[in-house]
Amino acid sequence: MKHPLKSKQRGLSFIGLVLTAALIVSVFVVGAKLVPTVIEHQAILKALNKAQSGNTVPEVRAIFDKAATIDDISSVSGKDLEVTKNGEKVVVKVAYNKEIELVGPAYLLIKYTGSSK
């Protein structure tokens, strides 16, 4: 005959608790390393929209570089921009990769792309 309390016991074992905590901490650490790159990408998109007001390629790149200096953008510079015209509208595009070191030889590679509106 089983003890009545034993069949109703539920919960997490100590090993399950440790593994769950390790998983939560790992997700938090990766997220903490990822957030600055996302913020920088948003600043890059904002700078692309500012740079779109230029009429020539050197002017577009100069406007972007000024905005990059103000917003502390280090991943991309004006020379990395692809500047085209769509009718009368200037379109500024950029594509770049960002590596985030995780543990030892493991890296997280993020491929960002963006264009002006």
Side-chain angles (χ1 to χ4, degrees), residues 2-17:
K2 290 185 175 181
H3 194 276
L5 291 179
K6 289 233 179 215
S7 63
K8 292 185 180 184
Q9 286 183 348
R10 294 183 189 185
L12 218 50
S13 68
F14 180 71
I15 293 174
L17 178 67

mmCIF file with all atom_site columns, all heavy atoms in Angstrom, residues 2-17:
data_model
loop_
_atom_site.group_PDB
_atom_site.id
_atom_site.type_symbol
_atom_site.label_atom_id
_atom_site.label_alt_id
_atom_site.label_comp_id
_atom_site.label_asym_id
_atom_site.label_entity_id
_atom_site.label_seq_id
_atom_site.pdbx_PDB_ins_code
_atom_site.Cartn_x
_atom_site.Cartn_y
_atom_site.Cartn_z
_atom_site.occupancy
_atom_site.B_iso_or_equiv
_atom_site.pdbx_formal_charge
_atom_site.auth_seq_id
_atom_site.auth_comp_id
_atom_site.auth_asym_id
_atom_site.auth_atom_id
_atom_site.pdbx_PDB_model_num
ATOM 1   N N   . LYS A 1 2  ? 0.591  2.176  -0.927  1.00 0.00 ? 2  LYS A N   1
ATOM 2   C CA  . LYS A 1 2  ? 1.365  3.398  -1.037  1.00 0.00 ? 2  LYS A CA  1
ATOM 3   C C   . LYS A 1 2  ? 0.929  4.377  0.027   1.00 0.00 ? 2  LYS A C   1
ATOM 4   O O   . LYS A 1 2  ? -0.229 4.415  0.428   1.00 0.00 ? 2  LYS A O   1
ATOM 5   C CB  . LYS A 1 2  ? 1.174  4.044  -2.411  1.00 0.00 ? 2  LYS A CB  1
ATOM 6   C CG  . LYS A 1 2  ? 1.804  3.283  -3.531  1.00 0.00 ? 2  LYS A CG  1
ATOM 7   C CD  . LYS A 1 2  ? 1.651  4.077  -4.800  1.00 0.00 ? 2  LYS A CD  1
ATOM 8   C CE  . LYS A 1 2  ? 2.372  3.413  -5.934  1.00 0.00 ? 2  LYS A CE  1
ATOM 9   N NZ  . LYS A 1 2  ? 2.267  4.171  -7.164  1.00 0.00 ? 2  LYS A NZ  1
ATOM 10  N N   . HIS A 1 3  ? 1.895  5.155  0.436   1.00 0.00 ? 3  HIS A N   1
ATOM 11  C CA  . HIS A 1 3  ? 1.580  6.210  1.386   1.00 0.00 ? 3  HIS A CA  1
ATOM 12  C C   . HIS A 1 3  ? 0.779  7.276  0.649   1.00 0.00 ? 3  HIS A C   1
ATOM 13  O O   . HIS A 1 3  ? 1.143  7.670  -0.462  1.00 0.00 ? 3  HIS A O   1
ATOM 14  C CB  . HIS A 1 3  ? 2.885  6.786  1.953   1.00 0.00 ? 3  HIS A CB  1
ATOM 15  C CG  . HIS A 1 3  ? 2.658  7.631  3.149   1.00 0.00 ? 3  HIS A CG  1
ATOM 16  N ND1 . HIS A 1 3  ? 2.314  8.950  3.056   1.00 0.00 ? 3  HIS A ND1 1
ATOM 17  C CD2 . HIS A 1 3  ? 2.704  7.347  4.480   1.00 0.00 ? 3  HIS A CD2 1
ATOM 18  C CE1 . HIS A 1 3  ? 2.176  9.449  4.259   1.00 0.00 ? 3  HIS A CE1 1
ATOM 19  N NE2 . HIS A 1 3  ? 2.411  8.487  5.145   1.00 0.00 ? 3  HIS A NE2 1
ATOM 20  N N   . PRO A 1 4  ? -0.301 7.794  1.199   1.00 0.00 ? 4  PRO A N   1
ATOM 21  C CA  . PRO A 1 4  ? -1.167 8.716  0.477   1.00 0.00 ? 4  PRO A CA  1
ATOM 22  C C   . PRO A 1 4  ? -0.479 10.038 0.099   1.00 0.00 ? 4  PRO A C   1
ATOM 23  O O   . PRO A 1 4  ? -0.793 10.629 -0.921  1.00 0.00 ? 4  PRO A O   1
ATOM 24  C CB  . PRO A 1 4  ? -2.327 8.982  1.422   1.00 0.00 ? 4  PRO A CB  1
ATOM 25  C CG  . PRO A 1 4  ? -1.990 8.369  2.719   1.00 0.00 ? 4  PRO A CG  1
ATOM 26  C CD  . PRO A 1 4  ? -0.837 7.459  2.512   1.00 0.00 ? 4  PRO A CD  1
ATOM 27  N N   . LEU A 1 5  ? 0.483  10.512 0.883   1.00 0.00 ? 5  LEU A N   1
ATOM 28  C CA  . LEU A 1 5  ? 1.143  11.780 0.575   1.00 0.00 ? 5  LEU A CA  1
ATOM 29  C C   . LEU A 1 5  ? 2.155  11.629 -0.550  1.00 0.00 ? 5  LEU A C   1
ATOM 30  O O   . LEU A 1 5  ? 2.402  12.557 -1.298  1.00 0.00 ? 5  LEU A O   1
ATOM 31  C CB  . LEU A 1 5  ? 1.833  12.343 1.817   1.00 0.00 ? 5  LEU A CB  1
ATOM 32  C CG  . LEU A 1 5  ? 0.903  12.835 2.922   1.00 0.00 ? 5  LEU A CG  1
ATOM 33  C CD1 . LEU A 1 5  ? 1.710  13.340 4.112   1.00 0.00 ? 5  LEU A CD1 1
ATOM 34  C CD2 . LEU A 1 5  ? -0.005 13.940 2.413   1.00 0.00 ? 5  LEU A CD2 1
ATOM 35  N N   . LYS A 1 6  ? 2.778  10.468 -0.669  1.00 0.00 ? 6  LYS A N   1
ATOM 36  C CA  . LYS A 1 6  ? 3.807  10.258 -1.683  1.00 0.00 ? 6  LYS A CA  1
ATOM 37  C C   . LYS A 1 6  ? 3.235  10.345 -3.099  1.00 0.00 ? 6  LYS A C   1
ATOM 38  O O   . LYS A 1 6  ? 3.883  10.847 -3.993  1.00 0.00 ? 6  LYS A O   1
ATOM 39  C CB  . LYS A 1 6  ? 4.488  8.912  -1.488  1.00 0.00 ? 6  LYS A CB  1
ATOM 40  C CG  . LYS A 1 6  ? 5.374  8.865  -0.289  1.00 0.00 ? 6  LYS A CG  1
ATOM 41  C CD  . LYS A 1 6  ? 6.716  8.387  -0.706  1.00 0.00 ? 6  LYS A CD  1
ATOM 42  C CE  . LYS A 1 6  ? 7.598  8.364  0.527   1.00 0.00 ? 6  LYS A CE  1
ATOM 43  N NZ  . LYS A 1 6  ? 8.935  8.709  0.241   1.00 0.00 ? 6  LYS A NZ  1
ATOM 44  N N   . SER A 1 7  ? 2.039  9.873  -3.313  1.00 0.00 ? 7  SER A N   1
ATOM 45  C CA  . SER A 1 7  ? 1.488  9.894  -4.657  1.00 0.00 ? 7  SER A CA  1
ATOM 46  C C   . SER A 1 7  ? 1.052  11.310 -5.067  1.00 0.00 ? 7  SER A C   1
ATOM 47  O O   . SER A 1 7  ? 0.916  11.596 -6.233  1.00 0.00 ? 7  SER A O   1
ATOM 48  C CB  . SER A 1 7  ? 0.305  8.936  -4.762  1.00 0.00 ? 7  SER A CB  1
ATOM 49  O OG  . SER A 1 7  ? -0.719 9.363  -3.886  1.00 0.00 ? 7  SER A OG  1
ATOM 50  N N   . LYS A 1 8  ? 0.875  12.215 -4.126  1.00 0.00 ? 8  LYS A N   1
ATOM 51  C CA  . LYS A 1 8  ? 0.422  13.560 -4.433  1.00 0.00 ? 8  LYS A CA  1
ATOM 52  C C   . LYS A 1 8  ? 1.576  14.572 -4.487  1.00 0.00 ? 8  LYS A C   1
ATOM 53  O O   . LYS A 1 8  ? 1.347  15.724 -4.767  1.00 0.00 ? 8  LYS A O   1
ATOM 54  C CB  . LYS A 1 8  ? -0.593 14.021 -3.393  1.00 0.00 ? 8  LYS A CB  1
ATOM 55  C CG  . LYS A 1 8  ? -1.897 13.259 -3.468  1.00 0.00 ? 8  LYS A CG  1
ATOM 56  C CD  . LYS A 1 8  ? -2.894 13.824 -2.502  1.00 0.00 ? 8  LYS A CD  1
ATOM 57  C CE  . LYS A 1 8  ? -4.189 13.046 -2.592  1.00 0.00 ? 8  LYS A CE  1
ATOM 58  N NZ  . LYS A 1 8  ? -5.230 13.611 -1.754  1.00 0.00 ? 8  LYS A NZ  1
ATOM 59  N N   . GLN A 1 9  ? 2.793  14.118 -4.225  1.00 0.00 ? 9  GLN A N   1
ATOM 60  C CA  . GLN A 1 9  ? 3.914  15.058 -4.237  1.00 0.00 ? 9  GLN A CA  1
ATOM 61  C C   . GLN A 1 9  ? 4.250  15.461 -5.666  1.00 0.00 ? 9  GLN A C   1
ATOM 62  O O   . GLN A 1 9  ? 4.314  14.632 -6.564  1.00 0.00 ? 9  GLN A O   1
ATOM 63  C CB  . GLN A 1 9  ? 5.144  14.441 -3.580  1.00 0.00 ? 9  GLN A CB  1
ATOM 64  C CG  . GLN A 1 9  ? 5.029  14.357 -2.092  1.00 0.00 ? 9  GLN A CG  1
ATOM 65  C CD  . GLN A 1 9  ? 6.304  13.807 -1.473  1.00 0.00 ? 9  GLN A CD  1
ATOM 66  O OE1 . GLN A 1 9  ? 7.166  13.300 -2.160  1.00 0.00 ? 9  GLN A OE1 1
ATOM 67  N NE2 . GLN A 1 9  ? 6.393  13.906 -0.156  1.00 0.00 ? 9  GLN A NE2 1
ATOM 68  N N   . ARG A 1 10 ? 4.441  16.743 -5.847  1.00 0.00 ? 10 ARG A N   1
ATOM 69  C CA  . ARG A 1 10 ? 4.825  17.286 -7.140  1.00 0.00 ? 10 ARG A CA  1
ATOM 70  C C   . ARG A 1 10 ? 5.860  18.369 -6.898  1.00 0.00 ? 10 ARG A C   1
ATOM 71  O O   . ARG A 1 10 ? 6.013  18.870 -5.798  1.00 0.00 ? 10 ARG A O   1
ATOM 72  C CB  . ARG A 1 10 ? 3.636  17.905 -7.855  1.00 0.00 ? 10 ARG A CB  1
ATOM 73  C CG  . ARG A 1 10 ? 2.597  16.895 -8.230  1.00 0.00 ? 10 ARG A CG  1
ATOM 74  C CD  . ARG A 1 10 ? 1.513  17.568 -8.996  1.00 0.00 ? 10 ARG A CD  1
ATOM 75  N NE  . ARG A 1 10 ? 0.417  16.624 -9.171  1.00 0.00 ? 10 ARG A NE  1
ATOM 76  C CZ  . ARG A 1 10 ? -0.639 16.850 -9.877  1.00 0.00 ? 10 ARG A CZ  1
ATOM 77  N NH1 . ARG A 1 10 ? -0.782 17.997 -10.484 1.00 0.00 ? 10 ARG A NH1 1
ATOM 78  N NH2 . ARG A 1 10 ? -1.581 15.957 -9.997  1.00 0.00 ? 10 ARG A NH2 1
ATOM 79  N N   . GLY A 1 11 ? 6.526  18.760 -7.977  1.00 0.00 ? 11 GLY A N   1
ATOM 80  C CA  . GLY A 1 11 ? 7.478  19.848 -7.828  1.00 0.00 ? 11 GLY A CA  1
ATOM 81  C C   . GLY A 1 11 ? 8.745  19.563 -8.594  1.00 0.00 ? 11 GLY A C   1
ATOM 82  O O   . GLY A 1 11 ? 8.856  18.593 -9.354  1.00 0.00 ? 11 GLY A O   1
ATOM 83  N N   . LEU A 1 12 ? 9.691  20.415 -8.395  1.00 0.00 ? 12 LEU A N   1
ATOM 84  C CA  . LEU A 1 12 ? 10.954 20.379 -9.099  1.00 0.00 ? 12 LEU A CA  1
ATOM 85  C C   . LEU A 1 12 ? 12.009 19.754 -8.202  1.00 0.00 ? 12 LEU A C   1
ATOM 86  O O   . LEU A 1 12 ? 12.114 20.103 -7.030  1.00 0.00 ? 12 LEU A O   1
ATOM 87  C CB  . LEU A 1 12 ? 11.352 21.829 -9.411  1.00 0.00 ? 12 LEU A CB  1
ATOM 88  C CG  . LEU A 1 12 ? 12.012 22.165 -10.715 1.00 0.00 ? 12 LEU A CG  1
ATOM 89  C CD1 . LEU A 1 12 ? 11.280 21.597 -11.912 1.00 0.00 ? 12 LEU A CD1 1
ATOM 90  C CD2 . LEU A 1 12 ? 12.130 23.660 -10.865 1.00 0.00 ? 12 LEU A CD2 1
ATOM 91  N N   . SER A 1 13 ? 12.795 18.860 -8.770  1.00 0.00 ? 13 SER A N   1
ATOM 92  C CA  . SER A 1 13 ? 13.901 18.307 -7.995  1.00 0.00 ? 13 SER A CA  1
ATOM 93  C C   . SER A 1 13 ? 15.016 19.346 -7.953  1.00 0.00 ? 13 SER A C   1
ATOM 94  O O   . SER A 1 13 ? 14.997 20.348 -8.662  1.00 0.00 ? 13 SER A O   1
ATOM 95  C CB  . SER A 1 13 ? 14.413 17.024 -8.653  1.00 0.00 ? 13 SER A CB  1
ATOM 96  O OG  . SER A 1 13 ? 15.018 17.331 -9.888  1.00 0.00 ? 13 SER A OG  1
ATOM 97  N N   . PHE A 1 14 ? 16.014 19.129 -7.142  1.00 0.00 ? 14 PHE A N   1
ATOM 98  C CA  . PHE A 1 14 ? 17.125 20.065 -7.026  1.00 0.00 ? 14 PHE A CA  1
ATOM 99  C C   . PHE A 1 14 ? 17.862 20.191 -8.355  1.00 0.00 ? 14 PHE A C   1
ATOM 100 O O   . PHE A 1 14 ? 18.202 21.296 -8.784  1.00 0.00 ? 14 PHE A O   1
ATOM 101 C CB  . PHE A 1 14 ? 18.087 19.618 -5.918  1.00 0.00 ? 14 PHE A CB  1
ATOM 102 C CG  . PHE A 1 14 ? 19.248 20.538 -5.764  1.00 0.00 ? 14 PHE A CG  1
ATOM 103 C CD1 . PHE A 1 14 ? 19.078 21.804 -5.223  1.00 0.00 ? 14 PHE A CD1 1
ATOM 104 C CD2 . PHE A 1 14 ? 20.519 20.166 -6.182  1.00 0.00 ? 14 PHE A CD2 1
ATOM 105 C CE1 . PHE A 1 14 ? 20.143 22.671 -5.096  1.00 0.00 ? 14 PHE A CE1 1
ATOM 106 C CE2 . PHE A 1 14 ? 21.593 21.025 -6.060  1.00 0.00 ? 14 PHE A CE2 1
ATOM 107 C CZ  . PHE A 1 14 ? 21.406 22.279 -5.513  1.00 0.00 ? 14 PHE A CZ  1
ATOM 108 N N   . ILE A 1 15 ? 18.061 19.080 -9.034  1.00 0.00 ? 15 ILE A N   1
ATOM 109 C CA  . ILE A 1 15 ? 18.753 19.107 -10.332 1.00 0.00 ? 15 ILE A CA  1
ATOM 110 C C   . ILE A 1 15 ? 17.903 19.869 -11.355 1.00 0.00 ? 15 ILE A C   1
ATOM 111 O O   . ILE A 1 15 ? 18.418 20.672 -12.139 1.00 0.00 ? 15 ILE A O   1
ATOM 112 C CB  . ILE A 1 15 ? 19.069 17.677 -10.815 1.00 0.00 ? 15 ILE A CB  1
ATOM 113 C CG1 . ILE A 1 15 ? 20.103 17.048 -9.886  1.00 0.00 ? 15 ILE A CG1 1
ATOM 114 C CG2 . ILE A 1 15 ? 19.553 17.681 -12.256 1.00 0.00 ? 15 ILE A CG2 1
ATOM 115 C CD1 . ILE A 1 15 ? 20.389 15.593 -10.162 1.00 0.00 ? 15 ILE A CD1 1
ATOM 116 N N   . GLY A 1 16 ? 16.623 19.660 -11.344 1.00 0.00 ? 16 GLY A N   1
ATOM 117 C CA  . GLY A 1 16 ? 15.728 20.393 -12.229 1.00 0.00 ? 16 GLY A CA  1
ATOM 118 C C   . GLY A 1 16 ? 15.759 21.888 -11.942 1.00 0.00 ? 16 GLY A C   1
ATOM 119 O O   . GLY A 1 16 ? 15.745 22.715 -12.862 1.00 0.00 ? 16 GLY A O   1
ATOM 120 N N   . LEU A 1 17 ? 15.823 22.235 -10.664 1.00 0.00 ? 17 LEU A N   1
ATOM 121 C CA  . LEU A 1 17 ? 15.897 23.637 -10.271 1.00 0.00 ? 17 LEU A CA  1
ATOM 122 C C   . LEU A 1 17 ? 17.204 24.269 -10.756 1.00 0.00 ? 17 LEU A C   1
ATOM 123 O O   . LEU A 1 17 ? 17.206 25.378 -11.299 1.00 0.00 ? 17 LEU A O   1
ATOM 124 C CB  . LEU A 1 17 ? 15.786 23.760 -8.750  1.00 0.00 ? 17 LEU A CB  1
ATOM 125 C CG  . LEU A 1 17 ? 15.896 25.174 -8.181  1.00 0.00 ? 17 LEU A CG  1
ATOM 126 C CD1 . LEU A 1 17 ? 14.691 25.997 -8.615  1.00 0.00 ? 17 LEU A CD1 1
ATOM 127 C CD2 . LEU A 1 17 ? 16.006 25.128 -6.682  1.00 0.00 ? 17 LEU A CD2 1
#
